[in-house]
Amino acid sequence: MEKTCKEVFMKKTFKEVFMKKTSLLTFLLILPLFLFPYGAPWNQTIESDTVNPRINIVHVDSTDDSSFYNFLSAIPMSYFHNGGYVYSSLLITDDISDTTVGYLINDWSDYLNSHNGFERHANYIGDVSSTVISNVNSTFGISSEENYDTVRGNPEEISVKLAKKDWSYSHYVIIAPFITPIDNNIAISIANAAAIASMHNAPVIFTSPDSLSDEAKTTISSLGADSIIIIDVGNNLSSTVNNQLSNMGISYINDITDAPSIVSYVRNIAGRSNLCAVINKNQILPAALAAARYNGYVLFLPDNVKKIANDFKKKILEDRDLQSFYKLTEIPREKDYVRSGEDTIATNFYNWLGTMNGDDPNHLETVITFEPQGTGGGNLETTFERAISGDPSDLTRKGAITGRMPLNWMRNIALENRSVM
């Protein structure tokens, strides 16, 4: 049976920072708005908010694909769903020299300082340096080794260690392949595996394609799991993995091996279509974090949609009459190509989204793009969002509620954390 809220707090060590009702309105908070702290004492419920002072720091190196897995393993222990609520705690990279990351850590410390008397706990995951550990512990007033844990090893080992550390029971375990370098199929697999694990309040375990390690099998058995969801776009895992699970007595194994099936699975949980769209691989980390919190799915936008949107922006900028006018809502009649250009972007996007099972005929989809705009050094212009924006007065017309997380991947992680403060 599923864990109750009480069991969550009893069985998941220092598991939380904020509890928020999941709703479409809350989803929109992942737009880059800076919200200011408020709070309530740890483990005391006030107006549906529950606070637990936890700090999760993960070493991520954009040149080392292995480190991506460690961040994704930490998502379901930091962000999880239970009883119609979503619980979220601070989850950030270890590059505390970055101003956005540094400000977030300082603001989180200020928030916790407003609740004196409640013991903090920190988790340092991956190759976090002793200097960072010392600095962060100092910032949060952590002096005892009992109040922080270091979790090290390769990505397979870390995912298993976090599963053992944070769960004493789980009906589900999510499994995905550990393969480097990370191509698009693997990126979609591991990002959505982390998000789906959060939706089920379950751990995610990454495994080599050949077989599950003995430690992974032991951990799955010790958790009492009887349902396994395998997220493996492109069928990278050997049949040995399924055979091992069957021999362990697992009664339900769901192999999800293509992107449309991922979308269908998540939409069945969410009841609507919430796309966290990325252009480059690094952005799967903040996108997975958002998907975990808001019952979304992570996909790469197709190249043709990106090219059409970017080429259209260039054409707009070349038209002297529209360089400043384009921000307005009304388009001059003599500039019919603007409307047709937007229609072309929208048509190509929705044709693709339909093939992904993401087109919702009865509601506006939510589409949040994780990428700086082209003029900000990114690879997708905001002509994309303008073209697909929907009409809330007519939900049956094609169109979406759109937003943009406009910074680099590491700062977008910080922005996503901001939305719970």
Side-chain angles (χ1 to χ4, degrees):
M1 68 179 191
E2 297 295 336
K3 288 177 280 188
T4 65
C5 280
K6 183 177 180 181
E7 287 172 323
V8 168
F9 281 104
M10 292 178 65
K11 294 182 178 181
K12 302 182 91 168
T13 309
F14 296 101
K15 182 73 172 153
E16 190 355 67
V17 171
F18 270 137
M19 179 170 72
K20 297 280 185 187
K21 286 187 177 180
T22 304
S23 67
L24 182 60
L25 179 61
T26 307
F27 192 108
L28 294 179
L29 291 178
I30 69 173
L31 295 173
L33 301 176
F34 287 84
L35 305 181
F36 294 97
Y38 66 95
W42 169 38
N43 219 18
Q44 178 179 342
T45 300
I46 297 178
E47 297 180 345
S48 299
D49 291 320
T50 302
V51 177
N52 190 4
R54 199 179 201 198
I55 305 106
N56 304 292
I57 309 292
V58 185
H59 173 70
V60 182
D61 179 350
S62 62
T63 66
D64 178 11
D65 283 4
S66 293
S67 67
F68 285 34
Y69 287 88
N70 299 335
F71 187 89
L72 294 168
S73 292
I75 286 179
M77 67 175 272
S78 306
Y79 287 46
F80 64 98
H81 295 251
N82 192 76
Y85 295 92
V86 58
Y87 297 71
S88 359
S89 58
L90 183 70
L91 177 59
I92 201 70
T93 69
D94 63 341
D95 190 354
I96 61 176
S97 63
D98 179 84
T99 54
T100 305
V101 176
Y103 286 148
L104 177 64
I105 289 175
N106 289 334
D107 289 346
W108 188 243
S109 176
D110 290 341
Y111 170 77
L112 294 184
N113 286 339
S114 68
H115 305 291
N116 288 328
F118 300 109
E119 191 172 52
R120 299 94 185 274
H121 189 87
N123 296 298
Y124 299 100
I125 300 164
D127 295 328
V128 181
S129 71
S130 58
T131 299
V132 170
I133 293 174
S134 177
N135 288 342
V136 173
N137 281 348
S138 177
T139 298
F140 287 96
I142 296 174
S143 57
S144 172
E145 291 186 359
E146 295 180 355
N147 293 332
Y148 72 91
D149 293 320
T150 56
V151 183
R152 300 184 185 276
N154 64 45
E156 294 178 78
E157 294 168 341
I158 286 177
S159 68
V160 169
K161 288 177 180 178
L162 292 180
K164 291 194 297 183
K165 168 180 160 52
D166 257 55
W167 284 265
S168 62
Y169 165 79
S170 181
H171 174 51
Y172 289 96
V173 170
I174 316 303
I175 291 175
F178 167 53
I179 297 175
T180 58
I182 297 173
D183 63 19
N184 282 9
N185 280 346
I186 296 300
I188 293 305
S189 298
I190 60 180
N192 286 289
I196 290 171
S198 293
M199 296 173 206
H200 285 301
N201 189 8
V204 59
I205 289 179
F206 296 115
T207 180
S208 68
D210 296 332
S211 64
L212 291 166
S213 67
D214 289 340
E215 191 65 23
K217 290 186 292 182
T218 300
T219 299
I220 292 170
S221 295
S222 69
L223 293 177
D226 57 11
S227 296
I228 301 294
I229 301 170
I230 298 175
I231 311 295
D232 180 23
V233 177
N235 287 293
N236 300 280
L237 295 179
S238 163
S239 60
T240 300
V241 173
N242 279 64
N243 292 336
Q244 289 174 308
L245 293 168
S246 297
N247 292 336
M248 291 165 58
I250 301 297
S251 59
Y252 175 79
I253 302 173
N254 184 0
D255 282 289
I256 301 177
T257 57
D258 58 69
S261 297
I262 290 174
V263 175
S264 295
Y265 188 91
V266 172
R267 285 188 62 189
N268 188 55
I269 294 173
R272 61 190 318 116
S273 181
N274 300 323
L275 168 61
C276 298
V278 299
I279 299 295
N280 75 74
K281 178 181 66 181
N282 294 357
Q283 294 281 2
I284 67 169
L285 301 183
L289 198 57
R293 291 191 63 215
Y294 304 112
N295 290 331
Y297 53 90
V298 181
L299 294 177
F300 285 90
L301 283 180
D303 289 339
N304 70 311
V305 171
K306 180 180 71 173
K307 184 178 188 307
I308 294 169
N310 291 346
D311 288 349
F312 183 55
K313 179 63 178 290
K314 291 178 183 177
K315 187 174 182 178
I316 292 292
L317 293 177
E318 290 169 356
D319 190 326
R320 293 188 177 185
D321 294 334
L322 289 178
Q323 287 182 29
S324 60
F325 190 86
Y326 186 61
K327 293 183 179 181
L328 302 180
T329 56
E330 295 297 328
I331 299 171
R333 292 182 179 179
E334 65 273 16
K335 303 293 182 180
D336 290 340
Y337 78 86
V338 175
R339 181 61 65 199
S340 63
E342 290 182 339
D343 288 344
T344 299
I345 296 170
T347 298
N348 279 270
F349 171 74
Y350 273 100
N351 286 345
W352 166 77
L353 193 64
T355 67
M356 294 292 108
N357 296 335
D359 188 355
D360 188 338
N362 300 314
H363 302 91
L364 297 181
E365 300 83 9
T366 303
V367 178
I368 306 299
T369 311
F370 293 75
E371 179 73 9
Q373 69 184 65
T375 52
N379 293 306
L380 183 69
E381 294 289 358
T382 52
T383 42
F384 167 68
E385 284 90 352
R386 175 170 176 132
I388 68 168
S389 291
D391 181 359
S393 68
D394 186 356
L395 302 182
T396 62
R397 292 182 59 189
K398 288 188 181 299
I401 299 169
T402 63
R404 176 73 71 107
M405 296 291 277
L407 304 181
N408 67 35
W409 65 273
M410 182 169 56
R411 292 181 172 184
N412 275 343
I413 291 173
L415 284 184
E416 178 54 37
N417 277 267
R418 282 269 177 203
S419 67
V420 305
M421 294 180 67

